Amino acid sequence: MAGRRGLCLLLVLCALLGAATPAALPLIAMSTLLEDAMDTLIRIYHHYSGKEGDRYKLSKGELKELLTSELSDFLSIRIQCGTCRDTLNTRSICVNLHLLAKVRDAGEDEPFLLLSEDMKRELTAGQIYRRSLRCIDMLSIEGQFTFTAEQPQLHCATFFIGEPEELITIDYDFVNIDCQRGDFLKVFDGWILKGEKFPSSLDHPLTTSQRYVDFCESGNIQRSIRSSQNVAMIIFRIHQPGNGFTITVKKNANLFPCNVISQTPSGRFTMVIPHQNRNCSFSIIYPVVIKISDLILGHLNGLFLKKPSAGCAGVGDFVELLGGTGLDPSKMFPLADLCHSFHGSAQMKIGCDNTVLRMVSSGKHINRVTFEYHQLDLQETENRKENSIEEFCFPSI
């Protein structure tokens, strides 16, 4: 906790003192330790600022360089993003921390914490990774995880994420909770946060209530639960200190990935829906440039920006691009429709916190779309051309 507070204090001071120059706060002959520390902080800040523009502000790239160079010890363990966001009132800080430590800010008191790649590399073949769970946690690695309540824990959740081609399996190894007193342990097929779901109700084959598996209701009947996509979560409440549970998390191959949340801000993916009447969404929780290089819908040629009186209405198979700030694709703003097959390149810059490519399939064809994406940087937002959407989402960057 002390390390996290220290990181947040550093970022607060950087934000407050960013307009100061080293010359503005000269050292006096008998400077105090605090004055020396502040002078060093300002000098380090300006060592990295100004390389990409405004000398008194850190760009995303400059902040990344500062953190990785000056705070490598913090980042090699974990970074809690929520507190910093509350203090600085800026999402850009947390977005950059996400890039460095794979942490996604989930709101005021709900930080997502993901294991670092260094931890993964330390595990040799055949070893089982084990560690304790926190009340709010996030995992991208297989292993055995235990939660033991040190005090009443009433609002807890652990978010699991795999690669796009993976499914998540959660096995109950040991459960000691008091269901009669109001404790619960539930697995949700997907992610749910502040009332928004991924996949959305329009894209998942089960109803919302069917996507929950409650241990207090199923007990020994269902001790192993597999997700329908590369994300899942557990939600739990435990009143009695000392009670808790142990679970084992495994990954399974998914031959035809449908609904996906990307772990990274860049990548390439091919989505295939083979003669199935279903909808699939690929979510990228970053502002991105997305380039579609190949689209086969069984139909001619065209990219249509969505207008109130136009779109793909009446077409059974199409792809749409969505942008927004939440998790649920059904609540996001439709930016473009692609109603016909084409080979070539269609590119769009979407400056939203969350970008989704969604394919709707009637089941009559083998539909396929190939696309690549990378995070939108500051220069690309300033020089937006081509098939870009200027009026939506860019102010949030």
Side-chain angles (χ1 to χ4, degrees):
M1 181 61 69
R4 294 171 180 169
R5 289 175 180 171
L7 173 60
C8 293
L9 177 60
L10 171 63
L11 295 177
V12 172
L13 290 175
C14 285
L16 294 177
L17 302 176
T21 64
L25 291 174
L27 288 176
I28 60 177
M30 297 297 292
S31 59
T32 66
L33 291 176
L34 178 59
E35 289 172 329
D36 288 342
M38 292 178 65
D39 180 77
T40 300
L41 179 63
I42 294 171
R43 292 178 186 276
I44 292 175
Y45 182 94
H46 285 292
H47 175 74
Y48 294 95
S49 68
K51 296 180 180 180
E52 300 179 9
D54 193 337
R55 171 170 170 73
Y56 303 111
K57 295 180 181 178
L58 285 173
S59 68
K60 293 181 179 180
E62 291 166 346
L63 177 61
K64 177 179 178 180
E65 184 181 0
L66 184 153
L67 292 175
T68 53
S69 299
E70 307 294 340
L71 295 171
S72 57
D73 289 341
F74 284 101
L75 297 177
S76 65
I77 305 173
R78 298 178 188 94
I79 296 177
Q80 182 174 4
C81 183
T83 305
C84 297
R85 176 181 174 185
D86 296 342
T87 306
L88 297 178
N89 192 28
T90 174
R91 182 175 300 146
S92 62
I93 295 294
C94 288
V95 169
N96 283 279
L97 296 182
H98 181 110
L99 294 176
L100 300 171
K102 291 190 176 179
V103 176
R104 179 59 181 173
D105 179 22
E108 296 178 348
D109 298 308
E110 299 173 298
F112 287 176
L113 300 177
L114 199 63
L115 294 181
S116 69
E117 293 297 327
D118 291 337
M119 291 184 181
K120 297 179 184 179
R121 286 193 290 267
E122 289 174 2
L123 299 177
T124 59
Q127 285 185 312
I128 299 178
Y129 180 73
R130 293 181 174 89
R131 80 159 171 85
S132 298
L133 290 176
R134 295 171 288 270
C135 178
I136 300 295
D137 216 333
M138 186 172 180
L139 299 168
S140 65
I141 191 171
E142 295 177 312
Q144 188 177 70
F145 306 97
T146 299
F147 181 83
T148 302
E150 297 181 356
Q151 60 186 5
Q153 298 284 6
L154 306 183
H155 305 284
C156 298
T158 300
F159 298 81
F160 304 97
I161 186 168
E163 297 298 328
E165 299 84 5
E166 293 178 335
L167 301 175
I168 309 292
T169 297
I170 301 171
D171 296 331
Y172 294 131
D173 298 328
F174 170 79
V175 179
N176 178 27
I177 64 175
D178 190 348
C179 297
Q180 300 300 320
R181 191 180 176 185
D183 291 359
F184 61 76
L185 174 59
K186 302 178 181 180
V187 175
F188 183 73
D189 190 6
W191 281 1
I192 186 167
L193 182 66
K194 298 185 183 298
E196 296 201 9
K197 302 179 292 293
F198 185 91
S200 73
S201 298
L202 298 178
D203 297 344
H204 200 282
L206 301 177
T207 65
T208 300
S209 61
Q210 292 173 328
R211 293 166 68 176
Y212 286 96
V213 178
D214 191 337
F215 176 85
C216 290
E217 295 179 358
S218 61
N220 292 323
I221 299 176
Q222 189 171 1
R223 299 186 68 90
S224 181
I225 301 98
R226 178 177 294 185
S227 69
S228 303
Q229 59 287 310
N230 77 321
V231 293
M233 67 183 295
I234 58 172
I235 306 166
F236 54 97
R237 173 188 297 168
I238 300 176
H239 290 84
Q240 181 64 39
N243 286 358
F245 58 87
T246 298
I247 59 174
T248 295
V249 177
K250 303 174 183 176
K251 308 285 185 64
N252 308 100
N254 184 5
L255 295 180
F256 294 102
C258 182
N259 295 300
V260 173
I261 293 181
S262 176
Q263 292 192 56
T264 60
S266 62
R268 180 181 175 87
F269 188 76
T270 296
M271 180 185 294
V272 180
I273 305 181
H275 293 293
Q276 294 176 328
N277 183 10
R278 64 187 307 191
N279 308 325
C280 297
S281 293
F282 191 99
S283 174
I284 312 161
I285 312 179
Y286 303 87
V288 296
V289 177
I290 186 167
K291 181 184 295 184
I292 300 176
S293 58
D294 188 55
L295 176 62
I296 298 176
L297 293 170
H299 294 292
L300 301 166
N301 205 351
L303 169 67
F304 304 95
L305 294 183
K306 191 156 188 173
K307 300 177 182 179
S309 59
C312 295
V315 178
D317 303 87
F318 62 92
V319 166
E320 60 180 349
L321 295 175
L322 309 170
T325 59
L327 190 65
D328 195 325
S330 68
K331 298 180 181 180
M332 297 172 67
F333 194 89
L335 300 178
D337 287 341
L338 294 89
C339 310
H340 307 288
S341 301
F342 69 87
H343 301 279
S345 178
Q347 177 172 298
M348 180 171 287
K349 301 173 184 178
I350 304 176
C352 302
D353 292 338
N354 192 8
T355 300
V356 169
L357 182 145
R358 181 172 181 263
M359 176 180 282
V360 176
S361 178
S362 65
K364 299 177 181 179
H365 311 283
I366 298 177
N367 296 320
R368 185 181 71 201
V369 58
T370 298
F371 58 95
E372 56 187 87
Y373 54 94
H374 67 266
Q375 186 173 16
L376 198 61
D377 61 32
L378 182 61
Q379 291 182 344
E380 288 174 307
T381 62
E382 293 174 346
N383 303 294
R384 29 190 195 269
K385 298 178 181 179
E386 303 163 355
N387 296 319
S388 63
I389 302 295
E390 298 189 12
E391 62 268 37
F392 301 115
C393 301
F394 278 103
S396 71
I397 296 180

